[in-house]
Amino acid sequence: MIAADRPDRHSARLLVVEADGTMRDLPRVGLATLFNPGDLVVANDAATLPASLHGTHVPTGEAIEIRLAGWLSLPGPTRFVAIAFGSGDHRTRTEDRLPPPTLAAGHRLRLGPLEGVVERLLDHPRLLELCFSGNRAAVLAGMAQHGRPIQYANVPEPLALWDVWTKIAARPFAFEAPSAGFALDWRTLNAWRRRDVGFATLTHAAGVSSTGDPALDSRLPFDEPYCISERTAAQVARAKLRGSRIIAIGTSVVRALEATVNPDGSVRAGNGIATGRIARDTALRVVDAILTGVHQPGESHFELLRAFADDNLLAKASAALTACGYRAHEFGDSVLLNCSPLLLSMRSAEIVEVHSPLPNQSERWH
């Protein structure tokens, strides 16, 4: 069952940061009343995979944990980007985990009922391409039988898979929970419907939030595939046409929508891969506001927030979050950050790119 320190919907908090810099500290249930008729809320409906796999490094017999971190081939999900750790579990801080046994191409890993082979290392001793033996059904069944959700030390009790699924979870696609979606419940969705606030979903393969290594963390987020339906693209187009706001539930939604925007500001339906990094100088052409968790400066999620507000306002918001005792982990409290009209009007259409750990990775998704 869910860890005891996860706040329920009645105790969770929400800091609303308006475009003019004013802030409000609210119970998160107030989310149901904040948007106007015609506004469109977009959420990530990806279900979370049991992406933490413990087992044995066959050449040495030593313990190893593999955390799956990216898809190499969606049509045949037997090959992944993965991060390796040595013995231990989530109760040890990620940055304090032991390194894995020395890895090399061809090494076999026994991970419960699954057997994987290291295809190659990706210019870091803990980052690798991993191929599992068997077909799609066998691999997914092995993950379901043996895998656990990727978990961090802030929640000491082991999480079950359903603990990291949001209320709207559908296709198993994400490696960590699209945790901003924990703020959603059926009562809020029904309230939006009564107020004529639109709701749409997309599917984005939310990746790992921390690797425990500063050099790897600086590469986050990795390339992440997404799928946007024709219906969602049409809903975004209608909202934009009438001048209504687009509110993203989480950084993964921002990344997917901004990756697929056309020159005219419309959103393309279909499958794609988000390779760009959204940061301070990125022009947001689709999203007007984001509901997100509490993030710290230096984290990749916080860097994305710099596209919504200047550093001065973000510093004030961080101070308010600290003063009010907001909880920062994935089961913590929430922030609604509205994009500054000044930033929306002044930014160019430049997209800030980030070097992928996988050369030409985008060619592998199709």
Side-chain angles (χ1 to χ4, degrees), residues 307-344:
F308 286 84
D310 61 37
D311 290 349
N312 182 55
L313 179 55
L314 290 176
K316 292 179 180 178
S318 294
L321 292 167
T322 300
C324 293
Y326 274 60
R327 289 173 281 197
H329 55 73
E330 67 271 30
F331 298 121
D333 299 306
S334 301
V335 177
L336 179 66
L337 181 60
N338 294 279
C339 191
S340 163
L342 181 61
L343 291 178
L344 286 173

Side-chain angles (χ1 to χ4, degrees), residues 199-215:
F199 182 73
T201 60
L202 54 80
T203 308
H204 182 103
V208 296
S209 56
S210 175
T211 69
D213 182 278

Side-chain angles (χ1 to χ4, degrees), residues 209-232:
S209 56
S210 175
T211 69
D213 182 278
L216 279 181
D217 282 350
S218 69
R219 302 183 184 188
L220 299 177
F222 295 156
D223 294 354
E224 295 167 344
Y226 60 83
C227 179
I228 297 176
S229 68
E230 294 280 357
R231 183 174 185 272
T232 293

Side-chain angles (χ1 to χ4, degrees), residues 14-33:
L14 173 66
L15 183 71
V16 180
V17 183
E18 302 289 0
D20 63 3
T22 59
M23 300 181 200
R24 290 180 286 161
D25 173 31
L26 304 173
R28 197 162 66 189
V29 292
L31 185 65
T33 66

Side-chain angles (χ1 to χ4, degrees), residues 25-224:
D25 173 31
L26 304 173
R28 197 162 66 189
V29 292
L31 185 65
T33 66
L34 293 179
F35 306 132
N36 298 320
D39 287 346
L40 179 66
V41 178
V42 185
N44 184 359
D45 67 3
T48 309
L49 293 160
S52 170
L53 302 165
H54 287 261
T56 304
H57 177 242
V58 173
T60 63
E62 295 182 32
I64 193 169
E65 179 191 358
I66 291 294
R67 295 185 180 182
L68 304 179
W71 297 94
L72 278 172
S73 176
L74 280 175
T78 61
R79 300 174 63 241
F80 297 87
V81 181
I83 300 166
F85 298 87
S87 61
D89 60 23
H90 69 275
R91 293 181 179 87
T92 299
R93 294 193 315 159
T94 307
E95 54 268 38
D96 297 332
R97 287 289 300 275
L98 293 173
T102 301
L103 298 168
H107 282 188
R108 291 188 299 120
L109 308 177
R110 189 169 294 118
L111 306 167
L114 296 172
E115 183 167 295
V117 175
V118 177
E119 292 192 325
R120 63 174 178 138
L121 296 181
L122 298 169
D123 67 25
H124 189 284
R126 292 205 290 114
L127 187 67
L128 60 134
E129 287 185 4
L130 181 67
C131 179
F132 288 115
S133 302
N135 58 23
R136 171 192 175 94
V139 171
L140 293 179
M143 291 171 61
Q145 176 184 340
H146 180 68
R148 301 195 65 86
I150 291 174
Q151 187 172 347
Y152 298 98
N154 57 275
V155 180
E157 295 302 316
L159 296 172
L161 187 57
W162 50 82
D163 290 333
V164 294
W165 284 7
T166 65
K167 298 291 187 185
I168 61 169
R171 182 183 178 187
F173 203 60
F175 298 97
E176 288 189 16
S179 56
F182 288 138
L184 302 180
D185 57 32
W186 301 120
R187 187 176 302 180
T188 297
L189 297 182
N190 285 332
W192 285 339
R193 180 180 298 175
R194 291 192 300 269
R195 292 168 54 85
D196 200 26
V197 174
F199 182 73
T201 60
L202 54 80
T203 308
H204 182 103
V208 296
S209 56
S210 175
T211 69
D213 182 278
L216 279 181
D217 282 350
S218 69
R219 302 183 184 188
L220 299 177
F222 295 156
D223 294 354
E224 295 167 344

